[in-house]
Amino acid sequence: MNEGQEEFLDFFIARTLKDKRDEAEQVLIQAFSEQEHKKLTTANLTDLQNTLLPLVKPENYDEVEAAMNHFANSL
């Protein structure tokens, strides 16, 4: 995992529902591992968002969604 991925993981986990943190961490680590072997596409990121956003605390949803959308725009 590179530095940017670690930063995003920390950012995301801090904003995840407490009982969903392990699940979120597993999903993100798997996504980062896959990203090392193939380019992340907009479709992949949409799937990832659909999996991860329901795990976010309601009060942090907009912030996390904005961060993920910002990343999507860089693809």
Side-chain angles (χ1 to χ4, degrees), residues 21-47:
R21 289 181 181 161
D22 288 339
E23 180 182 350
E25 184 173 11
Q26 289 175 2
V27 169
L28 280 169
I29 289 172
Q30 178 66 33
F32 295 152
S33 175
E34 290 173 4
Q35 189 178 6
E36 290 179 19
H37 303 291
K38 64 181 180 179
K39 182 176 165 89
L40 187 65
T41 66
T42 304
N44 298 130
L45 187 58
T46 298
D47 290 343

Side-chain angles (χ1 to χ4, degrees), residues 40-56:
L40 187 65
T41 66
T42 304
N44 298 130
L45 187 58
T46 298
D47 290 343
L48 189 59
Q49 285 179 308
N50 290 339
T51 300
L52 290 173
L53 287 175
L55 309 179
V56 173

Side-chain angles (χ1 to χ4, degrees), residues 50-73:
N50 290 339
T51 300
L52 290 173
L53 287 175
L55 309 179
V56 173
K57 295 174 189 172
E59 63 269 22
N60 298 118
Y61 187 93
D62 290 340
E63 178 185 19
V64 173
E65 183 179 41
M68 293 184 90
N69 287 336
H70 176 77
F71 178 74
N73 291 334

